[in-house]
Amino acid sequence: MNADEALKSLKKGNTRFTQNNLTHPNQTEARRREVVSGQEPFAIVLTCSDSRTPPEIIFDRGIGDLFIVRTAGNVTDDVAVGSMEIAVEEFGVQLIMVLGHENCGAIKFAISESDFKGHIGSVMDKIKPVIEEAKKQPGNLQDNVAKENVKLVVEKLRNSQPILTKFISEGKLKIIGGYYRLENGEVEIITE
Ligand SMILES: [Zn+2]
């Protein structure tokens, strides 16, 4: 499936979800058996670890459909990029969606705190750089930081050498950014 078809499929699934018209595709025993010997996911989703943003549910998909990386604040690092590279190289996935969301705890924490325990600072250090830019914008600061963070992660991935840049230049990979609204369940595309 190419990137445009993959995006169309994600959008359709999200519409089913928001309209309360779920079809739960690929969640049967038959599907489970079908993908034992191999997988062909059609999209990679990098989203927040937040318990309210499970990709298979908000895009109404099933087993073997989505290759998912989740970190608090949907930030990326070498392990996350390496995971996505596996899906691009080995499974031929042509679309990566970086998905941020409304009322994100990690974003809120990055805005309001400066002293972090344990390894939490490793996450916060990734978010902090976009806060100043977001402060210049009108509207809700937390939303703006979350959206700027998505854009930053999209840019980082688009410039990630050598694998992601290669597939992008060959026209075999698109990386886009989305924003999920907790209240109505809608995913808005903010970077295409
Ligand atoms: Zn979050």
Side-chain angles (χ1 to χ4, degrees):
M1 204 186 282
N2 70 33
D4 293 340
E5 291 163 344
L7 179 56
K8 205 179 274 183
S9 187
L10 290 178
K11 281 180 174 172
K12 275 187 183 170
N14 183 243
T15 300
R16 292 195 300 273
F17 175 64
T18 57
Q19 296 183 348
N20 226 346
N21 187 26
L22 298 165
T23 59
H24 304 291
N26 295 335
Q27 296 186 17
T28 60
E29 183 192 349
R31 173 63 169 178
R32 195 178 73 223
R33 293 183 191 283
E34 185 189 24
V35 293
V36 168
S37 57
Q39 57 173 313
E40 283 183 39
F42 67 82
I44 297 166
V45 182
L46 166 62
T47 191
C48 186
S49 304
D50 194 299
S51 60
R52 301 164 295 178
T53 63
E56 278 94 347
I57 295 178
I58 68 181
F59 292 114
D60 190 28
R61 297 306 317 185
I63 296 168
D65 291 335
L66 304 176
F67 190 96
I68 295 165
V69 177
R70 300 185 71 169
T71 60
N74 41 273
V75 296
T76 187
D77 63 5
D78 283 353
V79 172
V81 171
S83 301
M84 290 182 264
E85 286 176 345
I86 291 170
V88 170
E89 274 268 346
E90 301 299 317
F91 310 134
V93 182
Q94 299 200 14
L95 179 73
I96 298 177
M97 179 187 279
V98 178
L99 185 62
H101 70 100
E102 188 179 22
N103 207 16
C104 177
I107 299 290
K108 195 177 186 176
F109 209 35
I111 295 170
S112 61
E113 307 287 326
S114 54
D115 193 19
F116 304 105
K117 290 180 187 148
H119 296 81
I120 298 173
S122 303
V123 179
M124 299 301 133
D125 287 348
K126 304 261 183 193
I127 300 170
K128 289 271 185 197
V130 301
I131 296 177
E132 287 312 310
E133 180 57 38
K135 276 182 178 167
K136 296 176 196 161
Q137 300 166 2
N140 180 286
L141 179 61
Q142 202 176 320
D143 269 339
N144 293 341
V145 172
K147 287 180 179 178
E148 285 301 317
N149 179 51
V150 167
K151 289 176 190 168
L152 177 68
V153 173
V154 166
E155 274 314 300
K156 278 185 187 168
L157 296 179
R158 282 178 181 166
N159 292 307
S160 173
Q161 305 213 26
I163 293 180
L164 301 187
T165 49
K166 173 176 154 276
F167 279 83
I168 290 169
S169 69
E170 289 172 352
K172 291 180 192 157
L173 178 65
K174 269 192 188 170
I175 304 177
I176 62 170
Y179 197 64
Y180 177 69
R181 291 271 169 206
L182 294 180
E183 179 129 13
N184 62 14
E186 275 178 23
V187 173
E188 173 197 355
I189 304 302
I190 58 171
T191 309
E192 210 162 349

mmCIF file of all heavy atoms in Angstrom, residues 47-53 71-74 99-108 127 146 182, ligand 1:
data_model
loop_
_atom_site.group_PDB
_atom_site.id
_atom_site.type_symbol
_atom_site.label_atom_id
_atom_site.label_comp_id
_atom_site.label_asym_id
_atom_site.label_seq_id
_atom_site.Cartn_x
_atom_site.Cartn_y
_atom_site.Cartn_z
ATOM 1 N N THR A 47 3.217 7.470 18.342
ATOM 2 C CA THR A 47 2.307 8.270 19.159
ATOM 3 C C THR A 47 2.695 8.217 20.628
ATOM 4 O O THR A 47 3.666 7.573 21.017
ATOM 5 C CB THR A 47 0.837 7.859 18.927
ATOM 6 O OG1 THR A 47 -0.017 8.828 19.540
ATOM 7 C CG2 THR A 47 0.536 6.489 19.508
ATOM 8 N N CYS A 48 1.920 8.940 21.429
ATOM 9 C CA CYS A 48 2.193 9.042 22.852
ATOM 10 C C CYS A 48 1.820 7.741 23.569
ATOM 11 O O CYS A 48 0.896 7.037 23.171
ATOM 12 C CB CYS A 48 1.404 10.216 23.428
ATOM 13 S SG CYS A 48 1.790 10.575 25.158
ATOM 14 N N SER A 49 2.529 7.458 24.654
ATOM 15 C CA SER A 49 2.217 6.280 25.468
ATOM 16 C C SER A 49 0.903 6.425 26.222
ATOM 17 O O SER A 49 0.400 5.450 26.797
ATOM 18 C CB SER A 49 3.327 6.057 26.505
ATOM 19 O OG SER A 49 4.559 5.946 25.877
ATOM 20 N N ASP A 50 0.354 7.614 26.206
ATOM 21 C CA ASP A 50 -0.898 7.934 26.902
ATOM 22 C C ASP A 50 -1.965 6.852 26.691
ATOM 23 O O ASP A 50 -2.217 6.428 25.561
ATOM 24 C CB ASP A 50 -1.407 9.294 26.376
ATOM 25 C CG ASP A 50 -2.496 9.882 27.252
ATOM 26 O OD1 ASP A 50 -3.547 9.223 27.393
ATOM 27 O OD2 ASP A 50 -2.301 10.988 27.774
ATOM 28 N N SER A 51 -2.580 6.434 27.775
ATOM 29 C CA SER A 51 -3.561 5.332 27.725
ATOM 30 C C SER A 51 -4.821 5.693 26.946
ATOM 31 O O SER A 51 -5.632 4.829 26.631
ATOM 32 C CB SER A 51 -3.940 4.929 29.147
ATOM 33 O OG SER A 51 -4.503 6.036 29.838
ATOM 34 N N ARG A 52 -4.965 6.962 26.612
ATOM 35 C CA ARG A 52 -6.176 7.396 25.894
ATOM 36 C C ARG A 52 -5.973 7.515 24.388
ATOM 37 O O ARG A 52 -6.875 7.965 23.692
ATOM 38 C CB ARG A 52 -6.636 8.748 26.460
ATOM 39 C CG ARG A 52 -6.936 8.715 27.951
ATOM 40 C CD ARG A 52 -6.990 10.113 28.528
ATOM 41 N NE ARG A 52 -5.683 10.767 28.456
ATOM 42 C CZ ARG A 52 -5.447 12.019 28.856
ATOM 43 N NH1 ARG A 52 -6.447 12.768 29.326
ATOM 44 N NH2 ARG A 52 -4.235 12.532 28.771
ATOM 45 N N THR A 53 -4.789 7.097 23.902
ATOM 46 C CA THR A 53 -4.520 7.269 22.466
ATOM 47 C C THR A 53 -4.096 5.974 21.756
ATOM 48 O O THR A 53 -3.123 5.969 21.007
ATOM 49 C CB THR A 53 -3.418 8.339 22.244
ATOM 50 O OG1 THR A 53 -2.188 7.867 22.850
ATOM 51 C CG2 THR A 53 -3.782 9.678 22.870
ATOM 52 N N THR A 71 6.028 6.500 22.788
ATOM 53 C CA THR A 71 6.856 7.074 23.851
ATOM 54 C C THR A 71 6.057 8.222 24.458
ATOM 55 O O THR A 71 5.190 8.796 23.789
ATOM 56 C CB THR A 71 8.174 7.659 23.295
ATOM 57 O OG1 THR A 71 7.867 8.686 22.338
ATOM 58 C CG2 THR A 71 9.049 6.611 22.635
ATOM 59 N N ALA A 72 6.323 8.576 25.696
ATOM 60 C CA ALA A 72 5.636 9.717 26.302
ATOM 61 C C ALA A 72 5.962 10.961 25.481
ATOM 62 O O ALA A 72 7.128 11.217 25.157
ATOM 63 C CB ALA A 72 6.083 9.902 27.750
ATOM 64 N N GLY A 73 4.925 11.680 25.084
ATOM 65 C CA GLY A 73 5.117 12.893 24.287
ATOM 66 C C GLY A 73 5.480 12.620 22.835
ATOM 67 O O GLY A 73 5.926 13.520 22.132
ATOM 68 N N ASN A 74 5.290 11.364 22.404
ATOM 69 C CA ASN A 74 5.654 10.936 21.029
ATOM 70 C C ASN A 74 6.976 11.534 20.559
ATOM 71 O O ASN A 74 7.093 12.019 19.432
ATOM 72 C CB ASN A 74 4.515 11.197 20.021
ATOM 73 C CG ASN A 74 3.804 12.525 20.193
ATOM 74 O OD1 ASN A 74 2.855 12.632 20.971
ATOM 75 N ND2 ASN A 74 4.283 13.552 19.517
ATOM 76 N N LEU A 99 1.870 11.235 15.760
ATOM 77 C CA LEU A 99 0.563 11.656 16.272
ATOM 78 C C LEU A 99 0.659 12.206 17.694
ATOM 79 O O LEU A 99 0.933 11.474 18.651
ATOM 80 C CB LEU A 99 -0.392 10.450 16.234
ATOM 81 C CG LEU A 99 -1.843 10.701 16.624
ATOM 82 C CD1 LEU A 99 -2.511 11.684 15.681
ATOM 83 C CD2 LEU A 99 -2.620 9.376 16.635
ATOM 84 N N GLY A 100 0.452 13.506 17.806
ATOM 85 C CA GLY A 100 0.392 14.137 19.124
ATOM 86 C C GLY A 100 -1.065 14.212 19.554
ATOM 87 O O GLY A 100 -1.961 13.839 18.812
ATOM 88 N N HIS A 101 -1.285 14.702 20.764
ATOM 89 C CA HIS A 101 -2.676 14.755 21.206
ATOM 90 C C HIS A 101 -2.945 15.861 22.213
ATOM 91 O O HIS A 101 -2.024 16.389 22.861
ATOM 92 C CB HIS A 101 -3.106 13.396 21.779
ATOM 93 C CG HIS A 101 -2.465 13.070 23.089
ATOM 94 N ND1 HIS A 101 -3.101 13.242 24.295
ATOM 95 C CD2 HIS A 101 -1.231 12.602 23.387
ATOM 96 C CE1 HIS A 101 -2.279 12.875 25.273
ATOM 97 N NE2 HIS A 101 -1.142 12.490 24.756
ATOM 98 N N GLU A 102 -4.227 16.150 22.331
ATOM 99 C CA GLU A 102 -4.736 17.160 23.249
ATOM 100 C C GLU A 102 -4.483 16.733 24.703
ATOM 101 O O GLU A 102 -4.525 15.545 25.011
ATOM 102 C CB GLU A 102 -6.260 17.220 23.000
ATOM 103 C CG GLU A 102 -7.000 18.309 23.673
ATOM 104 C CD GLU A 102 -8.486 18.251 23.322
ATOM 105 O OE1 GLU A 102 -9.006 17.193 22.926
ATOM 106 O OE2 GLU A 102 -9.131 19.293 23.452
ATOM 107 N N ASN A 103 -4.264 17.708 25.557
ATOM 108 C CA ASN A 103 -4.141 17.459 26.993
ATOM 109 C C ASN A 103 -3.091 16.400 27.350
ATOM 110 O O ASN A 103 -3.307 15.540 28.213
ATOM 111 C CB ASN A 103 -5.509 17.077 27.569
ATOM 112 C CG ASN A 103 -5.609 17.432 29.048
ATOM 113 O OD1 ASN A 103 -4.799 18.210 29.564
ATOM 114 N ND2 ASN A 103 -6.573 16.862 29.736
ATOM 115 N N CYS A 104 -1.949 16.478 26.658
ATOM 116 C CA CYS A 104 -0.867 15.497 26.852
ATOM 117 C C CYS A 104 -0.130 15.785 28.163
ATOM 118 O O CYS A 104 0.376 16.886 28.375
ATOM 119 C CB CYS A 104 0.098 15.564 25.672
ATOM 120 S SG CYS A 104 1.515 14.455 25.827
ATOM 121 N N GLY A 105 -0.051 14.795 29.026
ATOM 122 C CA GLY A 105 0.593 14.958 30.330
ATOM 123 C C GLY A 105 2.073 15.283 30.209
ATOM 124 O O GLY A 105 2.611 16.102 30.971
ATOM 125 N N ALA A 106 2.748 14.665 29.251
ATOM 126 C CA ALA A 106 4.180 14.901 29.058
ATOM 127 C C ALA A 106 4.424 16.342 28.644
ATOM 128 O O ALA A 106 5.367 16.994 29.116
ATOM 129 C CB ALA A 106 4.735 13.935 28.008
ATOM 130 N N ILE A 107 3.569 16.848 27.766
ATOM 131 C CA ILE A 107 3.686 18.233 27.292
ATOM 132 C C ILE A 107 3.438 19.194 28.463
ATOM 133 O O ILE A 107 4.183 20.155 28.683
ATOM 134 C CB ILE A 107 2.676 18.504 26.149
ATOM 135 C CG1 ILE A 107 2.943 17.597 24.951
ATOM 136 C CG2 ILE A 107 2.668 19.992 25.771
ATOM 137 C CD1 ILE A 107 4.187 17.860 24.160
ATOM 138 N N LYS A 108 2.399 18.905 29.210
ATOM 139 C CA LYS A 108 2.021 19.737 30.360
ATOM 140 C C LYS A 108 3.184 19.827 31.357
ATOM 141 O O LYS A 108 3.533 20.892 31.848
ATOM 142 C CB LYS A 108 0.803 19.081 31.028
ATOM 143 C CG LYS A 108 0.058 19.959 31.993
ATOM 144 C CD LYS A 108 -1.155 19.184 32.501
ATOM 145 C CE LYS A 108 -2.037 20.033 33.370
ATOM 146 N NZ LYS A 108 -3.249 19.302 33.782
ATOM 147 N N ILE A 127 11.195 17.829 24.443
ATOM 148 C CA ILE A 127 10.026 18.697 24.251
ATOM 149 C C ILE A 127 10.362 20.170 24.486
ATOM 150 O O ILE A 127 9.869 21.056 23.790
ATOM 151 C CB ILE A 127 8.876 18.248 25.198
ATOM 152 C CG1 ILE A 127 8.477 16.797 24.894
ATOM 153 C CG2 ILE A 127 7.667 19.176 25.069
ATOM 154 C CD1 ILE A 127 7.527 16.186 25.930
ATOM 155 N N ALA A 146 2.279 20.995 21.900
ATOM 156 C CA ALA A 146 2.072 19.621 21.397
ATOM 157 C C ALA A 146 2.171 19.581 19.876
ATOM 158 O O ALA A 146 2.797 18.674 19.308
ATOM 159 C CB ALA A 146 0.726 19.079 21.862
ATOM 160 N N LEU A 182 -8.943 14.405 22.208
ATOM 161 C CA LEU A 182 -9.480 13.412 23.152
ATOM 162 C C LEU A 182 -11.009 13.462 23.189
ATOM 163 O O LEU A 182 -11.673 12.431 23.295
ATOM 164 C CB LEU A 182 -8.959 13.685 24.563
ATOM 165 C CG LEU A 182 -7.463 13.498 24.800
ATOM 166 C CD1 LEU A 182 -7.140 13.810 26.255
ATOM 167 C CD2 LEU A 182 -7.001 12.100 24.451
HETATM 168 ZN ZN ZN B 1 0.674 12.396 25.699
#
